[in-house]
Amino acid sequence: MSDLADKVLRGDVLATARLIRDLDDGIDGAIAELKVLYPQTGKAEVIGVTGAPGVGKSTLVSRMIENFRARGKKVGVIAVDPTSPFSGGAVLGDRIRMQNHFNDPGVFIRSMATRGHLGGLSSSAYEIIKVLDAFGSEVILVETVGVGQDEVEIAGAAQTTVVVLTPGMGDEIQNLKAGILEIADVLVVNKADREGAQVTVQGLRRLLEMGGFDRKGWHPPICLTVGTDGTGIPDLIKAVDQHREFWNRQKAQPGFEHKRREEDFLRILQGQAVNKLIVSLRRNGCLEEIVARITRGESDPYSESEKVLKLGDYARNE
Amino acid sequence: MAERKIRILMAKPGLDGHDRGVKVVARALRDAGFEVIYTGLHQTPEMIANAAVQEGVDAVGLSVLSGAHNTLFPAVIEALKQKGASSVTVFGGGIIPEEDMTFLRNKGVMAVFTPGTSTEEIISFVRGNIKSVH
């Protein structure tokens, strides 16, 4: 029954890949494996890397893998690319930048498609982080899709969020004020050999000085990097390490762990509750009836939604 | 039970640097609703097999324009087998002479597409023959 989970815990690559696939495809039974894995999770350091398309996230991730491998850490990578809203298909190309690590048994790379999920990750990403954690990855790098301003989900999944920018985004930095810049624990100006890198750094510094919300004493460092030749990567890793130490101190504060577990639980409950309700509504033909009533003008979607939640019986017929 | 999404790794083994064809096919498969992982040029059979395993794919599509298909295609199949992933379907394309087709099929290559093949043909092959191995 929990055959797959046992193999994942023993570091079996095939089983791990398969469980990830099952979770991504929403296969019944995959959740049962997660129950077995759950007590073994929470050990990995999860680092998110996010930023607009083309800023160099994959190249930076590849450099970071190199660095963590040099320290002897087992590394897991989740690289998310968008799913076409029209065909449902996707081309996942982040791996191209990570070729150097394909034959390293200490590196497990998985490309994911968003599959319609908004927020910068795939809906299964949280669970897949847990699988890689249980598999034995000591560092898990999560690369989001190329994001705009509001895809801040990564901050909830990672302990350290690295936000990557490039020179020449000067004016746009203003737009980044709310949302993505707020979630940055570490800021990176990549392609720093290009003109305008210092201007970008100054712009970021000014924004950070404005403050705005409580970072609990953490001041996001700004790192200059050139992903293609590795310049600045040690500084970036140092910044990530420092944030990790800060995070560990926060973790020791009362209520911190409680809040994290609560968020995780509510996210899972929300997903499962909505799925279960919709599946059972469809199965019983109730959905048809409800929509027909609304279409005929006999009812409205708000009242019908309330009724469904009040009954709750739909879900109990499982 | 949810429906499986078919995942395909598209790869260029060996030394040839011509990737226009493989990109066209990757794009066409994307537009047909499949998830395509592209890993770039100059892949060894071992790199391709490792990527196929970690990515949990149902099929691997190989593109070879260098003439080394008789070596590279079977080498990928062998590498997959060694990693316990022999259930992954392998198909391929490139400048492949008629007389090599039987050899490649006997080695386990499910289909071979040559220049002039329409993307529709490849899509309908995938639809008809690639089932989720998971």
Tab-separated table of all heavy atoms in Angstrom, chain B residues 70-122:
chain	number	residue	atom	x	y	z
B	70	ASN	N	22.025	4.775	-35.710
B	70	ASN	CA	22.122	3.337	-35.414
B	70	ASN	C	22.886	3.067	-34.118
B	70	ASN	O	22.737	2.007	-33.512
B	70	ASN	CB	22.794	2.598	-36.568
B	70	ASN	CG	21.825	2.359	-37.724
B	70	ASN	OD1	20.615	2.593	-37.572
B	70	ASN	ND2	22.340	1.922	-38.856
B	71	THR	N	23.715	3.986	-33.715
B	71	THR	CA	24.422	3.855	-32.443
B	71	THR	C	23.624	4.489	-31.310
B	71	THR	O	23.427	3.897	-30.251
B	71	THR	CB	25.789	4.584	-32.510
B	71	THR	OG1	26.412	4.232	-33.743
B	71	THR	CG2	26.664	4.209	-31.333
B	72	LEU	N	23.148	5.723	-31.573
B	72	LEU	CA	22.571	6.519	-30.485
B	72	LEU	C	21.190	6.027	-30.038
B	72	LEU	O	20.917	5.961	-28.843
B	72	LEU	CB	22.489	7.987	-30.910
B	72	LEU	CG	23.846	8.694	-31.027
B	72	LEU	CD1	23.705	10.054	-31.698
B	72	LEU	CD2	24.484	8.842	-29.647
B	73	PHE	N	20.319	5.686	-30.995
B	73	PHE	CA	18.979	5.253	-30.594
B	73	PHE	C	19.037	4.022	-29.690
B	73	PHE	O	18.459	4.027	-28.592
B	73	PHE	CB	18.089	4.985	-31.831
B	73	PHE	CG	17.587	6.242	-32.520
B	73	PHE	CD1	18.205	7.468	-32.334
B	73	PHE	CD2	16.480	6.179	-33.365
B	73	PHE	CE1	17.745	8.614	-32.974
B	73	PHE	CE2	16.006	7.322	-34.007
B	73	PHE	CZ	16.638	8.534	-33.817
B	74	PRO	N	19.753	2.954	-30.124
B	74	PRO	CA	19.826	1.775	-29.237
B	74	PRO	C	20.521	2.080	-27.904
B	74	PRO	O	20.169	1.501	-26.876
B	74	PRO	CB	20.655	0.768	-30.051
B	74	PRO	CG	20.484	1.201	-31.469
B	74	PRO	CD	20.390	2.689	-31.426
B	75	ALA	N	21.477	3.021	-27.926
B	75	ALA	CA	22.178	3.351	-26.672
B	75	ALA	C	21.225	3.997	-25.663
B	75	ALA	O	21.310	3.735	-24.461
B	75	ALA	CB	23.352	4.283	-26.962
B	76	VAL	N	20.311	4.837	-26.152
B	76	VAL	CA	19.332	5.455	-25.251
B	76	VAL	C	18.401	4.389	-24.682
B	76	VAL	O	18.112	4.362	-23.479
B	76	VAL	CB	18.524	6.560	-25.987
B	76	VAL	CG1	17.354	7.025	-25.124
B	76	VAL	CG2	19.428	7.736	-26.342
B	77	ILE	N	17.961	3.475	-25.575
B	77	ILE	CA	17.057	2.403	-25.122
B	77	ILE	C	17.743	1.550	-24.051
B	77	ILE	O	17.146	1.201	-23.030
B	77	ILE	CB	16.601	1.559	-26.324
B	77	ILE	CG1	15.643	2.397	-27.189
B	77	ILE	CG2	15.932	0.266	-25.874
B	77	ILE	CD1	15.280	1.780	-28.510
B	78	GLU	N	19.017	1.263	-24.281
B	78	GLU	CA	19.782	0.461	-23.316
B	78	GLU	C	19.930	1.213	-21.979
B	78	GLU	O	19.752	0.626	-20.901
B	78	GLU	CB	21.171	0.147	-23.914
B	78	GLU	CG	22.041	-0.756	-23.078
B	78	GLU	CD	21.383	-2.097	-22.722
B	78	GLU	OE1	20.606	-2.619	-23.555
B	78	GLU	OE2	21.626	-2.599	-21.604
B	79	ALA	N	20.217	2.512	-22.060
B	79	ALA	CA	20.375	3.307	-20.830
B	79	ALA	C	19.070	3.358	-20.042
B	79	ALA	O	19.066	3.273	-18.812
B	79	ALA	CB	20.853	4.716	-21.174
B	80	LEU	N	17.947	3.473	-20.755
B	80	LEU	CA	16.646	3.485	-20.080
B	80	LEU	C	16.420	2.161	-19.359
B	80	LEU	O	15.947	2.120	-18.225
B	80	LEU	CB	15.522	3.730	-21.096
B	80	LEU	CG	15.336	5.177	-21.566
B	80	LEU	CD1	14.392	5.227	-22.760
B	80	LEU	CD2	14.802	6.061	-20.434
B	81	LYS	N	16.771	1.084	-20.059
B	81	LYS	CA	16.583	-0.259	-19.498
B	81	LYS	C	17.402	-0.407	-18.214
B	81	LYS	O	16.899	-0.892	-17.198
B	81	LYS	CB	17.022	-1.294	-20.541
B	81	LYS	CG	16.365	-2.657	-20.375
B	81	LYS	CD	16.589	-3.495	-21.614
B	81	LYS	CE	17.410	-4.731	-21.279
B	81	LYS	NZ	17.875	-5.412	-22.510
B	82	GLN	N	18.635	0.050	-18.274
B	82	GLN	CA	19.511	-0.079	-17.099
B	82	GLN	C	18.988	0.691	-15.894
B	82	GLN	O	19.251	0.324	-14.753
B	82	GLN	CB	20.913	0.417	-17.444
B	82	GLN	CG	21.774	-0.678	-18.034
B	82	GLN	CD	23.122	-0.150	-18.497
B	82	GLN	OE1	23.543	0.928	-18.102
B	82	GLN	NE2	23.779	-0.925	-19.350
B	83	LYS	N	18.234	1.746	-16.167
B	83	LYS	CA	17.712	2.549	-15.063
B	83	LYS	C	16.304	2.123	-14.661
B	83	LYS	O	15.631	2.810	-13.891
B	83	LYS	CB	17.741	4.032	-15.450
B	83	LYS	CG	19.167	4.531	-15.557
B	83	LYS	CD	19.287	5.953	-16.002
B	83	LYS	CE	20.716	6.274	-16.422
B	83	LYS	NZ	21.740	5.985	-15.410
B	84	GLY	N	15.862	1.006	-15.210
B	84	GLY	CA	14.556	0.474	-14.820
B	84	GLY	C	13.398	1.162	-15.496
B	84	GLY	O	12.266	1.115	-15.027
B	85	ALA	N	13.667	1.843	-16.616
B	85	ALA	CA	12.610	2.602	-17.288
B	85	ALA	C	12.357	2.067	-18.694
B	85	ALA	O	12.119	2.829	-19.632
B	85	ALA	CB	12.989	4.079	-17.334
B	86	SER	N	12.399	0.748	-18.849
B	86	SER	CA	12.222	0.188	-20.195
B	86	SER	C	10.787	0.307	-20.694
B	86	SER	O	10.519	0.087	-21.875
B	86	SER	CB	12.673	-1.270	-20.218
B	86	SER	OG	12.095	-1.963	-19.151
B	87	SER	N	9.859	0.679	-19.817
B	87	SER	CA	8.471	0.846	-20.275
B	87	SER	C	8.265	2.173	-21.003
B	87	SER	O	7.206	2.405	-21.573
B	87	SER	CB	7.525	0.746	-19.084
B	87	SER	OG	7.928	1.645	-18.077
B	88	VAL	N	9.263	3.022	-20.979
B	88	VAL	CA	9.155	4.306	-21.690
B	88	VAL	C	9.300	4.070	-23.200
B	88	VAL	O	10.249	3.438	-23.643
B	88	VAL	CB	10.250	5.290	-21.200
B	88	VAL	CG1	10.269	6.557	-22.039
B	88	VAL	CG2	10.045	5.628	-19.733
B	89	THR	N	8.324	4.566	-23.961
B	89	THR	CA	8.364	4.414	-25.422
B	89	THR	C	9.446	5.319	-26.022
B	89	THR	O	9.574	6.468	-25.618
B	89	THR	CB	7.009	4.835	-26.036
B	89	THR	OG1	5.997	4.010	-25.462
B	89	THR	CG2	7.010	4.677	-27.549
B	90	VAL	N	10.200	4.781	-26.972
B	90	VAL	CA	11.182	5.602	-27.666
B	90	VAL	C	10.783	5.723	-29.139
B	90	VAL	O	10.495	4.721	-29.791
B	90	VAL	CB	12.598	4.999	-27.548
B	90	VAL	CG1	13.599	5.797	-28.383
B	90	VAL	CG2	13.046	4.957	-26.095
B	91	PHE	N	10.711	6.948	-29.621
B	91	PHE	CA	10.528	7.171	-31.054
B	91	PHE	C	11.559	8.202	-31.494
B	91	PHE	O	12.255	8.777	-30.664
B	91	PHE	CB	9.089	7.599	-31.391
B	91	PHE	CG	8.677	8.928	-30.812
B	91	PHE	CD1	8.706	10.077	-31.598
B	91	PHE	CD2	8.246	9.045	-29.506
B	91	PHE	CE1	8.307	11.311	-31.078
B	91	PHE	CE2	7.855	10.267	-28.970
B	91	PHE	CZ	7.880	11.402	-29.761
B	92	GLY	N	11.694	8.364	-32.804
B	92	GLY	CA	12.751	9.266	-33.233
B	92	GLY	C	12.536	9.799	-34.626
B	92	GLY	O	11.596	9.423	-35.329
B	93	GLY	N	13.432	10.696	-34.988
B	93	GLY	CA	13.354	11.268	-36.321
B	93	GLY	C	14.705	11.796	-36.755
B	93	GLY	O	15.619	11.900	-35.946
B	94	GLY	N	14.803	12.094	-38.032
B	94	GLY	CA	16.055	12.625	-38.558
B	94	GLY	C	16.256	12.157	-39.977
B	94	GLY	O	15.331	11.640	-40.613
B	95	ILE	N	17.463	12.354	-40.441
B	95	ILE	CA	17.779	11.907	-41.800
B	95	ILE	C	18.190	10.445	-41.698
B	95	ILE	O	19.342	10.125	-41.432
B	95	ILE	CB	18.902	12.765	-42.406
B	95	ILE	CG1	18.498	14.250	-42.333
B	95	ILE	CG2	19.182	12.352	-43.854
B	95	ILE	CD1	19.642	15.197	-42.573
B	96	ILE	N	17.207	9.577	-41.851
B	96	ILE	CA	17.434	8.159	-41.602
B	96	ILE	C	17.078	7.349	-42.855
B	96	ILE	O	15.934	7.378	-43.311
B	96	ILE	CB	16.606	7.706	-40.384
B	96	ILE	CG1	17.183	8.388	-39.126
B	96	ILE	CG2	16.637	6.184	-40.223
B	96	ILE	CD1	16.265	8.447	-37.965
B	97	PRO	N	18.049	6.668	-43.427
B	97	PRO	CA	17.783	5.918	-44.658
B	97	PRO	C	16.823	4.757	-44.419
B	97	PRO	O	16.799	4.186	-43.329
B	97	PRO	CB	19.169	5.376	-45.066
B	97	PRO	CG	20.157	6.017	-44.153
B	97	PRO	CD	19.442	6.532	-42.977
B	98	GLU	N	16.074	4.464	-45.474
B	98	GLU	CA	15.071	3.393	-45.431
B	98	GLU	C	15.657	2.086	-44.882
B	98	GLU	O	15.031	1.394	-44.071
B	98	GLU	CB	14.539	3.185	-46.865
B	98	GLU	CG	13.291	2.350	-46.970
B	98	GLU	CD	12.101	2.943	-46.189
B	98	GLU	OE1	11.880	4.172	-46.253
B	98	GLU	OE2	11.402	2.162	-45.512
B	99	GLU	N	16.918	1.786	-45.306
B	99	GLU	CA	17.470	0.477	-44.933
B	99	GLU	C	17.802	0.355	-43.438
B	99	GLU	O	18.027	-0.746	-42.949
B	99	GLU	CB	18.721	0.147	-45.781
B	99	GLU	CG	19.848	1.152	-45.677
B	99	GLU	CD	19.843	2.157	-46.835
B	99	GLU	OE1	18.741	2.536	-47.302
B	99	GLU	OE2	20.934	2.578	-47.284
B	100	ASP	N	17.817	1.487	-42.728
B	100	ASP	CA	18.094	1.412	-41.291
B	100	ASP	C	16.828	1.223	-40.444
B	100	ASP	O	16.889	0.927	-39.250
B	100	ASP	CB	18.798	2.698	-40.819
B	100	ASP	CG	20.213	2.800	-41.366
B	100	ASP	OD1	20.728	1.765	-41.826
B	100	ASP	OD2	20.776	3.908	-41.341
B	101	MET	N	15.687	1.426	-41.086
B	101	MET	CA	14.411	1.424	-40.343
B	101	MET	C	14.174	0.117	-39.594
B	101	MET	O	13.827	0.123	-38.412
B	101	MET	CB	13.241	1.656	-41.304
B	101	MET	CG	13.308	2.976	-42.006
B	101	MET	SD	12.680	4.274	-40.957
B	101	MET	CE	12.637	5.630	-42.110
B	102	THR	N	14.353	-0.979	-40.314
B	102	THR	CA	14.061	-2.286	-39.708
B	102	THR	C	14.992	-2.535	-38.519
B	102	THR	O	14.544	-2.986	-37.462
B	102	THR	CB	14.235	-3.422	-40.739
B	102	THR	OG1	13.642	-2.985	-41.955
B	102	THR	CG2	13.578	-4.695	-40.267
B	103	PHE	N	16.249	-2.212	-38.717
B	103	PHE	CA	17.224	-2.366	-37.634
B	103	PHE	C	16.767	-1.599	-36.388
B	103	PHE	O	16.738	-2.136	-35.282
B	103	PHE	CB	18.600	-1.868	-38.106
B	103	PHE	CG	19.620	-1.773	-36.993
B	103	PHE	CD1	20.273	-2.920	-36.534
B	103	PHE	CD2	19.914	-0.548	-36.393
B	103	PHE	CE1	21.204	-2.838	-35.501
B	103	PHE	CE2	20.849	-0.462	-35.362
B	103	PHE	CZ	21.487	-1.607	-34.921
B	104	LEU	N	16.374	-0.323	-36.575
B	104	LEU	CA	15.984	0.509	-35.441
B	104	LEU	C	14.721	-0.031	-34.768
B	104	LEU	O	14.619	-0.058	-33.548
B	104	LEU	CB	15.771	1.963	-35.895
B	104	LEU	CG	17.055	2.704	-36.294
B	104	LEU	CD1	16.731	4.088	-36.847
B	104	LEU	CD2	18.003	2.829	-35.106
B	105	ARG	N	13.763	-0.481	-35.605
B	105	ARG	CA	12.529	-1.033	-35.030
B	105	ARG	C	12.838	-2.273	-34.205
B	105	ARG	O	12.298	-2.467	-33.122
B	105	ARG	CB	11.511	-1.331	-36.124
B	105	ARG	CG	10.906	-0.061	-36.653
B	105	ARG	CD	9.495	-0.189	-37.147
B	105	ARG	NE	9.160	1.059	-37.821
B	105	ARG	CZ	9.321	1.275	-39.124
B	105	ARG	NH1	9.746	0.303	-39.919
B	105	ARG	NH2	9.037	2.430	-39.651
B	106	ASN	N	13.728	-3.113	-34.748
B	106	ASN	CA	14.102	-4.324	-34.011
B	106	ASN	C	14.792	-3.991	-32.689
B	106	ASN	O	14.724	-4.757	-31.731
B	106	ASN	CB	15.022	-5.212	-34.854
B	106	ASN	CG	14.247	-5.889	-35.969
B	106	ASN	OD1	13.009	-5.985	-35.908
B	106	ASN	ND2	14.953	-6.329	-37.005
B	107	LYS	N	15.451	-2.864	-32.672
B	107	LYS	CA	16.136	-2.447	-31.442
B	107	LYS	C	15.170	-1.837	-30.429
B	107	LYS	O	15.560	-1.467	-29.319
B	107	LYS	CB	17.241	-1.425	-31.773
B	107	LYS	CG	18.468	-2.056	-32.417
B	107	LYS	CD	19.272	-2.803	-31.375
B	107	LYS	CE	20.461	-3.504	-32.017
B	107	LYS	NZ	21.137	-4.395	-31.057
B	108	GLY	N	13.914	-1.637	-30.864
B	108	GLY	CA	12.925	-1.145	-29.911
B	108	GLY	C	12.455	0.277	-30.144
B	108	GLY	O	11.719	0.843	-29.320
B	109	VAL	N	12.876	0.889	-31.246
B	109	VAL	CA	12.372	2.226	-31.581
B	109	VAL	C	10.974	2.055	-32.182
B	109	VAL	O	10.808	1.372	-33.186
B	109	VAL	CB	13.292	2.944	-32.580
B	109	VAL	CG1	12.792	4.356	-32.859
B	109	VAL	CG2	14.727	2.984	-32.056
B	110	MET	N	9.971	2.650	-31.558
B	110	MET	CA	8.599	2.359	-31.958
B	110	MET	C	8.236	2.989	-33.296
B	110	MET	O	7.467	2.410	-34.063
B	110	MET	CB	7.635	2.851	-30.902
B	110	MET	CG	6.255	2.260	-31.056
B	110	MET	SD	5.223	2.701	-29.682
B	110	MET	CE	3.837	1.630	-29.965
B	111	ALA	N	8.764	4.158	-33.565
B	111	ALA	CA	8.472	4.796	-34.850
B	111	ALA	C	9.635	5.689	-35.244
B	111	ALA	O	10.319	6.235	-34.391
B	111	ALA	CB	7.197	5.630	-34.744
B	112	VAL	N	9.848	5.807	-36.537
B	112	VAL	CA	10.918	6.658	-37.048
B	112	VAL	C	10.319	7.604	-38.094
B	112	VAL	O	9.658	7.159	-39.029
B	112	VAL	CB	12.038	5.817	-37.695
B	112	VAL	CG1	13.123	6.724	-38.262
B	112	VAL	CG2	12.634	4.847	-36.681
B	113	PHE	N	10.539	8.886	-37.897
B	113	PHE	CA	10.003	9.882	-38.821
B	113	PHE	C	11.137	10.548	-39.598
B	113	PHE	O	12.150	10.927	-39.021
B	113	PHE	CB	9.206	10.939	-38.054
B	113	PHE	CG	8.062	10.361	-37.264
B	113	PHE	CD1	8.188	10.163	-35.893
B	113	PHE	CD2	6.881	9.992	-37.889
B	113	PHE	CE1	7.141	9.620	-35.157
B	113	PHE	CE2	5.834	9.451	-37.173
B	113	PHE	CZ	5.958	9.259	-35.799
B	114	THR	N	10.932	10.670	-40.885
B	114	THR	CA	11.980	11.233	-41.731
B	114	THR	C	11.544	12.606	-42.271
B	114	THR	O	10.384	12.982	-42.121
B	114	THR	CB	12.270	10.278	-42.902
B	114	THR	OG1	11.034	9.950	-43.534
B	114	THR	CG2	12.933	9.004	-42.413
B	115	PRO	N	12.483	13.348	-42.874
B	115	PRO	CA	12.137	14.683	-43.386
B	115	PRO	C	10.902	14.623	-44.290
B	115	PRO	O	10.738	13.681	-45.062
B	115	PRO	CB	13.382	15.078	-44.181
B	115	PRO	CG	14.492	14.349	-43.523
B	115	PRO	CD	13.903	13.045	-43.064
B	116	GLY	N	10.058	15.625	-44.153
B	116	GLY	CA	8.833	15.646	-44.930
B	116	GLY	C	7.622	15.179	-44.145
B	116	GLY	O	6.486	15.373	-44.565
B	117	THR	N	7.862	14.549	-43.003
B	117	THR	CA	6.755	14.115	-42.148
B	117	THR	C	6.014	15.341	-41.626
B	117	THR	O	6.644	16.308	-41.189
B	117	THR	CB	7.286	13.330	-40.924
B	117	THR	OG1	8.119	12.263	-41.377
B	117	THR	CG2	6.146	12.758	-40.100
B	118	SER	N	4.689	15.306	-41.656
B	118	SER	CA	3.936	16.443	-41.129
B	118	SER	C	3.842	16.320	-39.616
B	118	SER	O	3.920	15.224	-39.067
B	118	SER	CB	2.525	16.467	-41.728
B	118	SER	OG	1.788	15.368	-41.239
B	119	THR	N	3.692	17.475	-38.959
B	119	THR	CA	3.565	17.423	-37.497
B	119	THR	C	2.284	16.677	-37.112
B	119	THR	O	2.237	16.010	-36.082
B	119	THR	CB	3.554	18.841	-36.888
B	119	THR	OG1	2.602	19.637	-37.582
B	119	THR	CG2	4.920	19.487	-36.970
B	120	GLU	N	1.251	16.766	-37.967
B	120	GLU	CA	-0.005	16.051	-37.682
B	120	GLU	C	0.260	14.552	-37.555
B	120	GLU	O	-0.321	13.867	-36.711
B	120	GLU	CB	-1.048	16.278	-38.784
B	120	GLU	CG	-1.712	17.648	-38.780
B	120	GLU	CD	-0.817	18.725	-39.384
B	120	GLU	OE1	0.151	18.372	-40.106
B	120	GLU	OE2	-1.061	19.908	-39.113
B	121	GLU	N	1.136	14.059	-38.429
B	121	GLU	CA	1.445	12.634	-38.419
B	121	GLU	C	2.061	12.225	-37.079
B	121	GLU	O	1.726	11.188	-36.505
B	121	GLU	CB	2.449	12.353	-39.547
B	121	GLU	CG	2.221	11.069	-40.306
B	121	GLU	CD	3.183	10.990	-41.488
B	121	GLU	OE1	3.187	11.913	-42.339
B	121	GLU	OE2	3.942	10.024	-41.521
B	122	ILE	N	2.972	13.071	-36.591
B	122	ILE	CA	3.646	12.768	-35.321
B	122	ILE	C	2.652	12.856	-34.165
B	122	ILE	O	2.624	11.994	-33.281
B	122	ILE	CB	4.843	13.718	-35.107
B	122	ILE	CG1	5.866	13.516	-36.237
B	122	ILE	CG2	5.500	13.485	-33.750
B	122	ILE	CD1	6.986	14.528	-36.271
